[in-house]
Amino acid sequence: MGKKVSVLVVDDSLICRQLISQALSQDPDIEVVGSCADGKQAIALTKELRPHVVTMDVDMPVMDGLTAVEHIMAECPTPILVLTADPRSQAPELTCRALELGALALQIKPAIDAGPDAWNLVREVKLLSSVRVIRHLRGPKRAQLMPRPVTAMPPVSMGIVAVAASTGGPQVLYRMLSELPADFPAPIVIVQHINAAFSESLAGWLANASKLKVRLAQDGEPLMPGHVLIAPPGLHTITPFRGRVALKPGTERDGHMPSGTVLLESAAKAYGRRAVGLVLTGMGADGAEGLLAIKQGGGLTLAQNEESCVVFGMPGEAVERKAVDHLIHGDDVAATLVRLARGESLAAGR
């Protein structure tokens, strides 16, 4: 590649800063341009050095990492990778709050004796360096996150909503699930690419925002209206037949397991015209072939528009395959699903 990827390393532990810097510096395409021990310094150095990526610790003195993320995304938007301790020892809101504030990805800090190849830090940093981030206004507008008032849902023929999402997806899912009514008449199954250690935290964070029942999927459990199942790590999540979800071992599809395409293809086969497929922001092509399968099976296909995506990769690939019926803004996903559930038509897609 041409110009090196510049990285700012933020952690209050000198040993961690050295470990992270060493792991990154072993790649000839990456240059660690600075490091610091607290969030206040991180803000100043981000403005001064303009790194391509910031790695951010959470628990630090002077100013914690989440506050620093909020400031950086408001004042000097930069791709941020949050490195934290094992999320199973923390409240889900702590780690996932970073995503709400604009961080792009989460990863567990390596053990002190972990070699540079023991974790995918270099790969993650390189991927994030290509993302064009947008400014996040400080202090989320709570009115925007409040569910919009809706009347009770009438019975509809919508059988399932199958969703594929990656980079930037948790923020869109948070908003979508915070706005959908408790009596939404179809089950929702979601594949969200995220570091495996954060799957439970993600599900808990989304559950706290929603009137729907949100949890990680379990093999063989029923699909019911008002319930949202998140695909757990390391297995493919499929709908082998209507009304049931299954977890299956296998190989990666489109570079992922669970794969959005595998989920969407199974929904197309099981539900046919009653399937609604949705591909949200993310790198790569996962979900595109699955969305095409739903479209070819007579179901309805939606994808997030480029304007509102952190990365238009996955929706863009679906558009290239002519798999998308309607492009929608990330802020309008819940309203669109409610309209469809009511049987209202949408404007012609692009």
Side-chain angles (χ1 to χ4, degrees):
M1 58 190 292
K3 188 177 180 182
K4 288 188 176 184
V5 174
S6 58
V7 182
L8 172 65
V9 175
V10 185
D11 198 294
D12 65 331
S13 163
L14 175 60
I15 294 176
C16 281
R17 291 200 302 276
Q18 291 174 336
L19 177 65
I20 294 164
S21 297
Q22 180 183 13
L24 292 173
S25 297
Q26 290 198 4
D27 190 287
D29 296 327
I30 295 178
E31 179 183 9
V32 176
V33 294
S35 65
C36 60
D38 65 71
K40 190 172 182 180
Q41 291 179 322
I43 298 167
L45 285 177
T46 301
K47 292 178 180 178
E48 176 188 344
L49 300 174
R50 300 284 170 160
H52 293 115
V53 179
V54 176
T55 70
M56 183 73 73
D57 187 18
V58 174
D59 189 12
M60 295 182 292
V62 183
M63 180 186 287
D64 66 85
L66 298 187
T67 304
V69 168
E70 186 174 15
H71 278 273
I72 289 170
M73 296 311 296
E75 301 165 20
C76 185
T78 306
I80 297 174
L81 170 62
V82 170
L83 300 178
T84 183
D86 191 331
R88 287 164 289 198
S89 66
Q90 301 170 335
E93 295 80 6
L94 180 60
T95 48
C96 291
R97 171 96 173 120
L99 298 173
E100 184 183 345
L101 294 172
L104 291 184
L106 306 169
Q107 197 167 100
I108 292 182
K109 288 185 190 179
I112 298 301
D113 57 353
D117 297 328
W119 50 316
N120 293 321
L121 181 62
V122 167
R123 177 178 177 272
E124 192 80 26
V125 164
K126 285 185 172 180
L127 286 173
L128 296 184
S129 70
S130 64
V131 175
R132 185 185 74 252
V133 293
I134 58 175
R135 188 176 304 274
H136 285 243
L137 297 178
R138 288 191 59 209
K141 297 178 181 177
R142 288 294 157 192
Q144 290 186 353
L145 296 178
M146 293 297 290
R148 294 168 181 159
V150 293
T151 57
M153 294 277 93
V156 293
S157 61
M158 182 188 291
I160 190 173
V161 179
V163 185
S166 190
T167 307
Q171 297 94 318
V172 183
L173 294 173
Y174 184 92
R175 172 135 193 187
M176 177 187 89
L177 295 177
S178 73
E179 293 183 350
L180 285 174
D183 59 351
F184 186 73
I188 300 172
V189 185
I190 298 169
V191 168
Q192 166 64 56
H193 304 155
I194 195 168
N195 184 295
F198 295 94
S199 295
E200 289 185 14
S201 293
L202 176 72
W205 179 61
L206 295 176
N208 287 340
S210 182
K211 290 186 174 69
L212 304 170
K213 293 179 173 60
V214 183
R215 62 187 180 279
L216 289 181
Q218 297 183 16
D219 185 46
E221 72 175 301
L223 289 168
M224 296 183 291
H227 289 242
V228 180
L229 299 181
I230 311 291
L235 296 165
H236 287 304
T237 296
I238 63 171
T239 56
F241 48 84
R242 291 189 182 188
R244 192 72 57 179
V245 72
L247 306 180
K248 298 291 184 184
T251 57
E252 290 185 350
R253 177 82 178 272
D254 295 324
H256 297 281
M257 186 166 65
S259 157
T261 284
V262 170
L263 169 64
L264 269 61
E265 285 180 345
S266 72
K269 188 173 182 180
Y271 285 88
R273 296 177 62 85
R274 298 186 65 212
V276 175
L278 170 63
V279 172
L280 300 175
T281 171
M283 298 178 186
D286 191 30
E289 286 296 325
L291 208 63
L292 183 60
I294 288 178
K295 184 176 176 67
Q296 292 174 338
L300 186 72
T301 59
L302 308 170
Q304 188 175 348
N305 66 9
E306 185 169 10
E307 172 197 353
S308 63
C309 279
V310 170
V311 185
F312 192 54
M314 287 164 47
E317 289 289 338
V319 170
E320 285 291 318
R321 288 165 170 75
K322 295 181 168 44
V324 181
D325 290 320
H326 304 279
L327 283 167
I328 58 176
H329 195 282
D331 289 347
D332 298 331
V333 176
T336 299
L337 292 177
V338 167
R339 287 178 60 193
L340 290 171
R342 290 175 173 162
E344 298 176 16
S345 62
L346 302 179
R350 286 173 283 178

